[in-house]
Structures are given as structure tokens and as C-alpha cells.
Amino acid sequence: MHIRILGSAAGGGFPQWNCNCPNCHGFRTGRIKATARTQSSIAVSSNAVDWVLFNTSPDLLAQLAAFPELQPARATRDTAIKAIIFMDSQIDHTTGLLMLREGCPHEVYCTDMVYEDLSSGFPLFKILTHWNGGINRHAIPLDGNNFRITGIENLSFTAIPVTGKAPPYSPHRNNAHIGDNIGVKITDDISGKTLFYAPGLGDITDETRLLMSEVDCLLVDGTFWEEDEMRIVGLGKKKAADMGHLPQSGDGGMLDVLRPMVKPRKILIHINNTNPILNEDSAQRRRVLEEGVEVSFDGMELEL
């Protein structure tokens, strides 16, 4: 299984265009050691030829340009993207689909809740019907059964609902539904290796914890370092939990969750511009690394 991290940041990217938090200002002025990041997305393949795209960030065109394998140029118009899986309906995970309008119709896999949001509150799917019918939608099962994708050999996918928030525009923003957010386990039929991808995680259920402990590699929510991070840097009063994310630090935080897990390689993704782990010389970054947890970056490649 081949995995490419197309983007590793949370919404807004890093540095965020209008932000002067210590990280963003420090990066622009060269006062901190850090690496720029685009908004989170990954691509997965079994043969490094045919790829599944997970989420379509607003930075998608730059991400495609940085990864030529997704434009193999076998015909006058071509793409190696066989399908798209949406993990949720957040703006930073879906808006880039508009940039792919010339390639419609696309094979899109999403839950019923995501389909509802992208057909109503943010009618992305309806807008795209004007380009060759837009999308061919496939429902993602949430009953524990795996599913396969036409054109993607030797990979199977299993989705589980995870706790989180529907996006601010959603008609049920404050009324969580099963399927608002998912994690996806990807299994390579040949090697038997497994990846669990969950860029958004709130409370960790027993089911999620068990699944995480059994896979070979984790790409999980690294949005915030602490619960009150936005208030501490002067950017609002919302807590990590208010936005559907489990911070790394604190009792029961992501580091506590990951610590007893021996089998998987542990990697954080979807990192907010305010998170001090972006500063490569920070104490928080050192602590993460000392815990045996990695910090993903744009262009990172994994093979299982």
C-alpha cells in the first residue's frame, strides 16, 4: 500500500493567510523553524498507478502539481484519481472538488450525512451537476462491513463513525448524527497491512480505540495541542472539543490515547496553525517525538 500525504494542515493551512499567531508570524519572519503546510488530504494506492483521494482540500491544485503521479498524461486529458472518499463535509475537506469540475463525473464515496450536507447547506454536488452530471455517489456503509472501489485492486475499506462536529453551515451543526465524521481502515489484501485514517477525532470510543491499536499505521487528528489553545493565542473562546477535536496534551488527550498502543506507527495529521508542535524547536514538538509519535508533512510518503 502506498500513501502520499498531500496536505497535513488543518483548515486555513500554515501559515494561515490572515493569522499572526506566534507560529504564523514566526514562520513569516524566520523566527521559528517550521515547514509550510497545505490543508489536509491523502492519496492511497495499491499499485502506485491508480489512486483513491481522501478529501479534496482548497489547496488541491497545488497538491496535484506537487505529486505528478496523479497526472500520468496517458491521454489528452487524464488523471490517476479513480475515486474520492469524503471523511466529513467540512469546507477544508471538500471545496477542492470544484477544482476538479473539468473531470466530472467523479466517483465519490461518502456517508448519508455528508451527502445531505453537500446537497443542502453547501450544495456542492448540485452545483457540479452542470459539468457532465457532476458526481456518481456511492454510499459508505457504517455497519462494519468493508467496501471496495472499482479500479482499485487489492485494497478494501472499512468505515466507522467517530465523534466530531458537522460543519458550521450544516443544518444539524448542533445536533450530531452518525456519519457526520468517519475514520477509515484501509487493508492491503496482499501484504495484510492496515492503515487507519481519521483527521477528525473527538471523544475516543472503545470501538475506535480497539481499531486504532490493531492497525499497522495511524494517521490521526493532530489539530490542537491543548483544549484552550485558541483562547491562549487570542483567537477566540472555542475549545478543541467545541470543534470536534481531541487535543494532544492533558489527561485523556491524544498522547495518552496513543501511549499504550504498541503495534501501530503513530502519525499526527490535520495540524492547526496555532499548534506549537509546528515549531520544530518547541518543547511540545520534543515531547511528541519522545512519545514515539511523528508529525506528518506535505509530501510525506508511506509504504505498508
Side-chain angles (χ1 to χ4, degrees), residues 155-188:
L155 293 182
S156 64
F157 306 83
T158 307
I160 65 167
V162 297
T163 56
K165 289 279 190 178
Y169 69 78
S170 173
H172 62 273
R173 165 68 170 179
N174 298 311
N175 180 20
H177 286 60
I178 292 175
D180 286 338
N181 298 267
I182 60 172
V184 175
K185 174 185 175 184
I186 306 128
T187 302
D188 187 303

PDB file of all heavy atoms in Angstrom, residues 155-188:
ATOM      1  N   LEU A 155      -7.208  -3.475  -2.408  1.00  0.00           N
ATOM      2  CA  LEU A 155      -7.459  -2.664  -1.225  1.00  0.00           C
ATOM      3  C   LEU A 155      -8.928  -2.768  -0.850  1.00  0.00           C
ATOM      4  O   LEU A 155      -9.806  -2.711  -1.714  1.00  0.00           O
ATOM      5  CB  LEU A 155      -7.121  -1.187  -1.461  1.00  0.00           C
ATOM      6  CG  LEU A 155      -5.665  -0.798  -1.680  1.00  0.00           C
ATOM      7  CD1 LEU A 155      -5.544   0.720  -1.836  1.00  0.00           C
ATOM      8  CD2 LEU A 155      -4.764  -1.283  -0.548  1.00  0.00           C
ATOM      9  N   SER A 156      -9.184  -2.935   0.444  1.00  0.00           N
ATOM     10  CA  SER A 156     -10.555  -2.873   0.939  1.00  0.00           C
ATOM     11  C   SER A 156     -10.634  -1.791   2.010  1.00  0.00           C
ATOM     12  O   SER A 156      -9.641  -1.459   2.662  1.00  0.00           O
ATOM     13  CB  SER A 156     -11.004  -4.228   1.503  1.00  0.00           C
ATOM     14  OG  SER A 156     -10.232  -4.594   2.627  1.00  0.00           O
ATOM     15  N   PHE A 157     -11.831  -1.245   2.188  1.00  0.00           N
ATOM     16  CA  PHE A 157     -12.032  -0.084   3.037  1.00  0.00           C
ATOM     17  C   PHE A 157     -13.150  -0.378   4.038  1.00  0.00           C
ATOM     18  O   PHE A 157     -14.187  -0.935   3.672  1.00  0.00           O
ATOM     19  CB  PHE A 157     -12.414   1.129   2.188  1.00  0.00           C
ATOM     20  CG  PHE A 157     -11.440   1.421   1.079  1.00  0.00           C
ATOM     21  CD1 PHE A 157     -11.501   0.737  -0.142  1.00  0.00           C
ATOM     22  CD2 PHE A 157     -10.438   2.370   1.253  1.00  0.00           C
ATOM     23  CE1 PHE A 157     -10.596   1.002  -1.160  1.00  0.00           C
ATOM     24  CE2 PHE A 157      -9.518   2.635   0.238  1.00  0.00           C
ATOM     25  CZ  PHE A 157      -9.606   1.947  -0.972  1.00  0.00           C
ATOM     26  N   THR A 158     -12.919  -0.008   5.282  1.00  0.00           N
ATOM     27  CA  THR A 158     -13.922  -0.176   6.326  1.00  0.00           C
ATOM     28  C   THR A 158     -14.062   1.147   7.067  1.00  0.00           C
ATOM     29  O   THR A 158     -13.078   1.660   7.621  1.00  0.00           O
ATOM     30  CB  THR A 158     -13.533  -1.276   7.329  1.00  0.00           C
ATOM     31  OG1 THR A 158     -13.224  -2.481   6.624  1.00  0.00           O
ATOM     32  CG2 THR A 158     -14.679  -1.532   8.300  1.00  0.00           C
ATOM     33  N   ALA A 159     -15.266   1.703   7.072  1.00  0.00           N
ATOM     34  CA  ALA A 159     -15.508   2.981   7.731  1.00  0.00           C
ATOM     35  C   ALA A 159     -16.195   2.769   9.066  1.00  0.00           C
ATOM     36  O   ALA A 159     -17.040   1.881   9.211  1.00  0.00           O
ATOM     37  CB  ALA A 159     -16.372   3.875   6.839  1.00  0.00           C
ATOM     38  N   ILE A 160     -15.813   3.569  10.043  1.00  0.00           N
ATOM     39  CA  ILE A 160     -16.516   3.576  11.316  1.00  0.00           C
ATOM     40  C   ILE A 160     -16.878   5.017  11.664  1.00  0.00           C
ATOM     41  O   ILE A 160     -16.122   5.943  11.359  1.00  0.00           O
ATOM     42  CB  ILE A 160     -15.693   2.952  12.464  1.00  0.00           C
ATOM     43  CG1 ILE A 160     -14.443   3.787  12.759  1.00  0.00           C
ATOM     44  CG2 ILE A 160     -15.325   1.515  12.166  1.00  0.00           C
ATOM     45  CD1 ILE A 160     -13.755   3.415  14.054  1.00  0.00           C
ATOM     46  N   PRO A 161     -18.046   5.231  12.259  1.00  0.00           N
ATOM     47  CA  PRO A 161     -18.378   6.588  12.695  1.00  0.00           C
ATOM     48  C   PRO A 161     -17.497   6.982  13.869  1.00  0.00           C
ATOM     49  O   PRO A 161     -17.201   6.161  14.740  1.00  0.00           O
ATOM     50  CB  PRO A 161     -19.852   6.483  13.100  1.00  0.00           C
ATOM     51  CG  PRO A 161     -20.075   5.033  13.393  1.00  0.00           C
ATOM     52  CD  PRO A 161     -19.122   4.261  12.541  1.00  0.00           C
ATOM     53  N   VAL A 162     -17.041   8.220  13.877  1.00  0.00           N
ATOM     54  CA  VAL A 162     -16.265   8.747  15.001  1.00  0.00           C
ATOM     55  C   VAL A 162     -16.940  10.020  15.488  1.00  0.00           C
ATOM     56  O   VAL A 162     -17.678  10.676  14.747  1.00  0.00           O
ATOM     57  CB  VAL A 162     -14.798   9.027  14.608  1.00  0.00           C
ATOM     58  CG1 VAL A 162     -14.096   7.744  14.206  1.00  0.00           C
ATOM     59  CG2 VAL A 162     -14.705  10.064  13.492  1.00  0.00           C
ATOM     60  N   THR A 163     -16.683  10.353  16.742  1.00  0.00           N
ATOM     61  CA  THR A 163     -17.308  11.547  17.296  1.00  0.00           C
ATOM     62  C   THR A 163     -16.639  12.794  16.729  1.00  0.00           C
ATOM     63  O   THR A 163     -15.441  12.837  16.507  1.00  0.00           O
ATOM     64  CB  THR A 163     -17.195  11.567  18.825  1.00  0.00           C
ATOM     65  OG1 THR A 163     -15.821  11.458  19.193  1.00  0.00           O
ATOM     66  CG2 THR A 163     -17.974  10.413  19.435  1.00  0.00           C
ATOM     67  N   GLY A 164     -17.445  13.795  16.471  1.00  0.00           N
ATOM     68  CA  GLY A 164     -16.955  15.043  15.910  1.00  0.00           C
ATOM     69  C   GLY A 164     -18.110  15.987  15.695  1.00  0.00           C
ATOM     70  O   GLY A 164     -19.214  15.787  16.220  1.00  0.00           O
ATOM     71  N   LYS A 165     -17.893  17.013  14.897  1.00  0.00           N
ATOM     72  CA  LYS A 165     -18.907  18.023  14.633  1.00  0.00           C
ATOM     73  C   LYS A 165     -19.231  18.066  13.150  1.00  0.00           C
ATOM     74  O   LYS A 165     -18.359  17.892  12.300  1.00  0.00           O
ATOM     75  CB  LYS A 165     -18.403  19.408  15.067  1.00  0.00           C
ATOM     76  CG  LYS A 165     -18.304  19.606  16.571  1.00  0.00           C
ATOM     77  CD  LYS A 165     -19.655  19.941  17.163  1.00  0.00           C
ATOM     78  CE  LYS A 165     -19.521  20.381  18.611  1.00  0.00           C
ATOM     79  NZ  LYS A 165     -20.810  20.749  19.201  1.00  0.00           N
ATOM     80  N   ALA A 166     -20.501  18.325  12.844  1.00  0.00           N
ATOM     81  CA  ALA A 166     -20.850  18.692  11.480  1.00  0.00           C
ATOM     82  C   ALA A 166     -20.334  20.113  11.244  1.00  0.00           C
ATOM     83  O   ALA A 166     -20.107  20.865  12.193  1.00  0.00           O
ATOM     84  CB  ALA A 166     -22.359  18.628  11.295  1.00  0.00           C
ATOM     85  N   PRO A 167     -20.120  20.521   9.994  1.00  0.00           N
ATOM     86  CA  PRO A 167     -19.576  21.859   9.736  1.00  0.00           C
ATOM     87  C   PRO A 167     -20.540  22.969  10.147  1.00  0.00           C
ATOM     88  O   PRO A 167     -21.742  22.731  10.304  1.00  0.00           O
ATOM     89  CB  PRO A 167     -19.349  21.849   8.220  1.00  0.00           C
ATOM     90  CG  PRO A 167     -20.227  20.783   7.691  1.00  0.00           C
ATOM     91  CD  PRO A 167     -20.325  19.752   8.758  1.00  0.00           C
ATOM     92  N   PRO A 168     -20.028  24.196  10.319  1.00  0.00           N
ATOM     93  CA  PRO A 168     -20.872  25.304  10.762  1.00  0.00           C
ATOM     94  C   PRO A 168     -22.087  25.558   9.876  1.00  0.00           C
ATOM     95  O   PRO A 168     -23.122  26.021  10.361  1.00  0.00           O
ATOM     96  CB  PRO A 168     -19.915  26.503  10.740  1.00  0.00           C
ATOM     97  CG  PRO A 168     -18.569  25.904  10.974  1.00  0.00           C
ATOM     98  CD  PRO A 168     -18.605  24.581  10.266  1.00  0.00           C
ATOM     99  N   TYR A 169     -21.976  25.294   8.569  1.00  0.00           N
ATOM    100  CA  TYR A 169     -23.100  25.546   7.675  1.00  0.00           C
ATOM    101  C   TYR A 169     -24.169  24.452   7.719  1.00  0.00           C
ATOM    102  O   TYR A 169     -25.256  24.610   7.166  1.00  0.00           O
ATOM    103  CB  TYR A 169     -22.603  25.696   6.233  1.00  0.00           C
ATOM    104  CG  TYR A 169     -22.084  24.410   5.640  1.00  0.00           C
ATOM    105  CD1 TYR A 169     -22.958  23.436   5.174  1.00  0.00           C
ATOM    106  CD2 TYR A 169     -20.725  24.141   5.564  1.00  0.00           C
ATOM    107  CE1 TYR A 169     -22.494  22.240   4.646  1.00  0.00           C
ATOM    108  CE2 TYR A 169     -20.255  22.970   5.037  1.00  0.00           C
ATOM    109  CZ  TYR A 169     -21.140  22.023   4.580  1.00  0.00           C
ATOM    110  OH  TYR A 169     -20.685  20.845   4.063  1.00  0.00           O
ATOM    111  N   SER A 170     -23.854  23.317   8.343  1.00  0.00           N
ATOM    112  CA  SER A 170     -24.764  22.172   8.327  1.00  0.00           C
ATOM    113  C   SER A 170     -26.072  22.487   9.044  1.00  0.00           C
ATOM    114  O   SER A 170     -26.071  23.104  10.115  1.00  0.00           O
ATOM    115  CB  SER A 170     -24.105  20.968   8.998  1.00  0.00           C
ATOM    116  OG  SER A 170     -25.029  19.890   9.135  1.00  0.00           O
ATOM    117  N   PRO A 171     -27.209  22.049   8.488  1.00  0.00           N
ATOM    118  CA  PRO A 171     -28.496  22.244   9.166  1.00  0.00           C
ATOM    119  C   PRO A 171     -28.547  21.589  10.544  1.00  0.00           C
ATOM    120  O   PRO A 171     -29.354  21.986  11.376  1.00  0.00           O
ATOM    121  CB  PRO A 171     -29.501  21.588   8.204  1.00  0.00           C
ATOM    122  CG  PRO A 171     -28.842  21.652   6.863  1.00  0.00           C
ATOM    123  CD  PRO A 171     -27.377  21.465   7.144  1.00  0.00           C
ATOM    124  N   HIS A 172     -27.678  20.597  10.789  1.00  0.00           N
ATOM    125  CA  HIS A 172     -27.684  19.946  12.106  1.00  0.00           C
ATOM    126  C   HIS A 172     -26.339  20.122  12.825  1.00  0.00           C
ATOM    127  O   HIS A 172     -25.877  19.234  13.526  1.00  0.00           O
ATOM    128  CB  HIS A 172     -28.061  18.461  11.977  1.00  0.00           C
ATOM    129  CG  HIS A 172     -27.097  17.649  11.160  1.00  0.00           C
ATOM    130  ND1 HIS A 172     -27.177  17.525   9.794  1.00  0.00           N
ATOM    131  CD2 HIS A 172     -26.029  16.910  11.538  1.00  0.00           C
ATOM    132  CE1 HIS A 172     -26.202  16.747   9.362  1.00  0.00           C
ATOM    133  NE2 HIS A 172     -25.487  16.367  10.404  1.00  0.00           N
ATOM    134  N   ARG A 173     -25.753  21.288  12.693  1.00  0.00           N
ATOM    135  CA  ARG A 173     -24.453  21.588  13.318  1.00  0.00           C
ATOM    136  C   ARG A 173     -24.447  21.225  14.805  1.00  0.00           C
ATOM    137  O   ARG A 173     -23.488  20.663  15.306  1.00  0.00           O
ATOM    138  CB  ARG A 173     -24.143  23.069  13.146  1.00  0.00           C
ATOM    139  CG  ARG A 173     -23.022  23.623  14.043  1.00  0.00           C
ATOM    140  CD  ARG A 173     -21.678  23.065  13.676  1.00  0.00           C
ATOM    141  NE  ARG A 173     -20.599  23.782  14.375  1.00  0.00           N
ATOM    142  CZ  ARG A 173     -19.311  23.504  14.261  1.00  0.00           C
ATOM    143  NH1 ARG A 173     -18.919  22.516  13.488  1.00  0.00           N
ATOM    144  NH2 ARG A 173     -18.399  24.196  14.912  1.00  0.00           N
ATOM    145  N   ASN A 174     -25.498  21.574  15.518  1.00  0.00           N
ATOM    146  CA  ASN A 174     -25.540  21.354  16.962  1.00  0.00           C
ATOM    147  C   ASN A 174     -26.338  20.118  17.357  1.00  0.00           C
ATOM    148  O   ASN A 174     -26.734  19.970  18.510  1.00  0.00           O
ATOM    149  CB  ASN A 174     -26.103  22.601  17.655  1.00  0.00           C
ATOM    150  CG  ASN A 174     -25.227  23.813  17.440  1.00  0.00           C
ATOM    151  OD1 ASN A 174     -24.018  23.757  17.628  1.00  0.00           O
ATOM    152  ND2 ASN A 174     -25.829  24.921  17.011  1.00  0.00           N
ATOM    153  N   ASN A 175     -26.552  19.249  16.395  1.00  0.00           N
ATOM    154  CA  ASN A 175     -27.303  18.013  16.635  1.00  0.00           C
ATOM    155  C   ASN A 175     -26.580  16.886  15.911  1.00  0.00           C
ATOM    156  O   ASN A 175     -26.918  16.552  14.775  1.00  0.00           O
ATOM    157  CB  ASN A 175     -28.744  18.157  16.151  1.00  0.00           C
ATOM    158  CG  ASN A 175     -29.575  16.913  16.367  1.00  0.00           C
ATOM    159  OD1 ASN A 175     -29.230  16.064  17.194  1.00  0.00           O
ATOM    160  ND2 ASN A 175     -30.659  16.783  15.624  1.00  0.00           N
ATOM    161  N   ALA A 176     -25.578  16.322  16.575  1.00  0.00           N
ATOM    162  CA  ALA A 176     -24.700  15.350  15.926  1.00  0.00           C
ATOM    163  C   ALA A 176     -25.467  14.136  15.410  1.00  0.00           C
ATOM    164  O   ALA A 176     -26.395  13.641  16.061  1.00  0.00           O
ATOM    165  CB  ALA A 176     -23.621  14.896  16.897  1.00  0.00           C
ATOM    166  N   HIS A 177     -25.070  13.673  14.231  1.00  0.00           N
ATOM    167  CA  HIS A 177     -25.640  12.479  13.623  1.00  0.00           C
ATOM    168  C   HIS A 177     -24.525  11.481  13.332  1.00  0.00           C
ATOM    169  O   HIS A 177     -23.384  11.872  13.044  1.00  0.00           O
ATOM    170  CB  HIS A 177     -26.343  12.815  12.299  1.00  0.00           C
ATOM    171  CG  HIS A 177     -27.656  13.507  12.452  1.00  0.00           C
ATOM    172  ND1 HIS A 177     -27.794  14.721  13.081  1.00  0.00           N
ATOM    173  CD2 HIS A 177     -28.904  13.143  12.042  1.00  0.00           C
ATOM    174  CE1 HIS A 177     -29.066  15.101  13.044  1.00  0.00           C
ATOM    175  NE2 HIS A 177     -29.756  14.148  12.423  1.00  0.00           N
ATOM    176  N   ILE A 178     -24.854  10.210  13.386  1.00  0.00           N
ATOM    177  CA  ILE A 178     -23.904   9.177  12.984  1.00  0.00           C
ATOM    178  C   ILE A 178     -23.605   9.357  11.495  1.00  0.00           C
ATOM    179  O   ILE A 178     -24.523   9.427  10.673  1.00  0.00           O
ATOM    180  CB  ILE A 178     -24.468   7.771  13.257  1.00  0.00           C
ATOM    181  CG1 ILE A 178     -24.570   7.529  14.755  1.00  0.00           C
ATOM    182  CG2 ILE A 178     -23.590   6.705  12.612  1.00  0.00           C
ATOM    183  CD1 ILE A 178     -25.223   6.220  15.137  1.00  0.00           C
ATOM    184  N   GLY A 179     -22.340   9.453  11.174  1.00  0.00           N
ATOM    185  CA  GLY A 179     -21.935   9.659   9.788  1.00  0.00           C
ATOM    186  C   GLY A 179     -21.466  11.063   9.495  1.00  0.00           C
ATOM    187  O   GLY A 179     -20.986  11.340   8.391  1.00  0.00           O
ATOM    188  N   ASP A 180     -21.577  11.976  10.467  1.00  0.00           N
ATOM    189  CA  ASP A 180     -21.014  13.315  10.269  1.00  0.00           C
ATOM    190  C   ASP A 180     -19.507  13.235  10.053  1.00  0.00           C
ATOM    191  O   ASP A 180     -18.940  13.987   9.253  1.00  0.00           O
ATOM    192  CB  ASP A 180     -21.286  14.205  11.488  1.00  0.00           C
ATOM    193  CG  ASP A 180     -22.727  14.668  11.581  1.00  0.00           C
ATOM    194  OD1 ASP A 180     -23.417  14.685  10.553  1.00  0.00           O
ATOM    195  OD2 ASP A 180     -23.168  15.013  12.700  1.00  0.00           O
ATOM    196  N   ASN A 181     -18.858  12.351  10.789  1.00  0.00           N
ATOM    197  CA  ASN A 181     -17.416  12.165  10.697  1.00  0.00           C
ATOM    198  C   ASN A 181     -17.109  10.671  10.738  1.00  0.00           C
ATOM    199  O   ASN A 181     -17.740   9.926  11.492  1.00  0.00           O
ATOM    200  CB  ASN A 181     -16.702  12.835  11.872  1.00  0.00           C
ATOM    201  CG  ASN A 181     -16.906  14.331  11.922  1.00  0.00           C
ATOM    202  OD1 ASN A 181     -16.109  15.094  11.399  1.00  0.00           O
ATOM    203  ND2 ASN A 181     -17.988  14.757  12.566  1.00  0.00           N
ATOM    204  N   ILE A 182     -16.148  10.268   9.949  1.00  0.00           N
ATOM    205  CA  ILE A 182     -15.773   8.858   9.941  1.00  0.00           C
ATOM    206  C   ILE A 182     -14.256   8.716  10.021  1.00  0.00           C
ATOM    207  O   ILE A 182     -13.497   9.644   9.724  1.00  0.00           O
ATOM    208  CB  ILE A 182     -16.274   8.118   8.685  1.00  0.00           C
ATOM    209  CG1 ILE A 182     -15.696   8.735   7.401  1.00  0.00           C
ATOM    210  CG2 ILE A 182     -17.792   8.081   8.653  1.00  0.00           C
ATOM    211  CD1 ILE A 182     -15.992   7.935   6.139  1.00  0.00           C
ATOM    212  N   GLY A 183     -13.835   7.552  10.436  1.00  0.00           N
ATOM    213  CA  GLY A 183     -12.470   7.093  10.267  1.00  0.00           C
ATOM    214  C   GLY A 183     -12.518   5.932   9.290  1.00  0.00           C
ATOM    215  O   GLY A 183     -13.522   5.216   9.205  1.00  0.00           O
ATOM    216  N   VAL A 184     -11.467   5.733   8.543  1.00  0.00           N
ATOM    217  CA  VAL A 184     -11.451   4.657   7.546  1.00  0.00           C
ATOM    218  C   VAL A 184     -10.214   3.784   7.732  1.00  0.00           C
ATOM    219  O   VAL A 184      -9.087   4.282   7.802  1.00  0.00           O
ATOM    220  CB  VAL A 184     -11.486   5.208   6.108  1.00  0.00           C
ATOM    221  CG1 VAL A 184     -11.339   4.069   5.094  1.00  0.00           C
ATOM    222  CG2 VAL A 184     -12.786   5.968   5.842  1.00  0.00           C
ATOM    223  N   LYS A 185     -10.460   2.492   7.840  1.00  0.00           N
ATOM    224  CA  LYS A 185      -9.386   1.498   7.859  1.00  0.00           C
ATOM    225  C   LYS A 185      -9.198   0.984   6.439  1.00  0.00           C
ATOM    226  O   LYS A 185     -10.162   0.592   5.777  1.00  0.00           O
ATOM    227  CB  LYS A 185      -9.765   0.341   8.782  1.00  0.00           C
ATOM    228  CG  LYS A 185      -8.791  -0.819   8.786  1.00  0.00           C
ATOM    229  CD  LYS A 185      -9.330  -1.957   9.651  1.00  0.00           C
ATOM    230  CE  LYS A 185      -8.471  -3.193   9.596  1.00  0.00           C
ATOM    231  NZ  LYS A 185      -9.066  -4.320  10.377  1.00  0.00           N
ATOM    232  N   ILE A 186      -7.964   1.005   5.966  1.00  0.00           N
ATOM    233  CA  ILE A 186      -7.642   0.522   4.621  1.00  0.00           C
ATOM    234  C   ILE A 186      -6.759  -0.709   4.772  1.00  0.00           C
ATOM    235  O   ILE A 186      -5.748  -0.679   5.493  1.00  0.00           O
ATOM    236  CB  ILE A 186      -6.914   1.590   3.797  1.00  0.00           C
ATOM    237  CG1 ILE A 186      -7.731   2.897   3.780  1.00  0.00           C
ATOM    238  CG2 ILE A 186      -6.677   1.112   2.380  1.00  0.00           C
ATOM    239  CD1 ILE A 186      -6.948   4.100   4.172  1.00  0.00           C
ATOM    240  N   THR A 187      -7.142  -1.787   4.106  1.00  0.00           N
ATOM    241  CA  THR A 187      -6.419  -3.055   4.208  1.00  0.00           C
ATOM    242  C   THR A 187      -5.838  -3.440   2.860  1.00  0.00           C
ATOM    243  O   THR A 187      -6.543  -3.428   1.834  1.00  0.00           O
ATOM    244  CB  THR A 187      -7.351  -4.181   4.696  1.00  0.00           C
ATOM    245  OG1 THR A 187      -7.919  -3.817   5.960  1.00  0.00           O
ATOM    246  CG2 THR A 187      -6.596  -5.486   4.843  1.00  0.00           C
ATOM    247  N   ASP A 188      -4.571  -3.763   2.836  1.00  0.00           N
ATOM    248  CA  ASP A 188      -3.918  -4.276   1.635  1.00  0.00           C
ATOM    249  C   ASP A 188      -4.091  -5.792   1.620  1.00  0.00           C
ATOM    250  O   ASP A 188      -3.597  -6.488   2.502  1.00  0.00           O
ATOM    251  CB  ASP A 188      -2.437  -3.892   1.654  1.00  0.00           C
ATOM    252  CG  ASP A 188      -1.721  -4.256   0.356  1.00  0.00           C
ATOM    253  OD1 ASP A 188      -1.751  -5.443  -0.025  1.00  0.00           O
ATOM    254  OD2 ASP A 188      -1.134  -3.353  -0.275  1.00  0.00           O
TER     255      ASP A 188
END
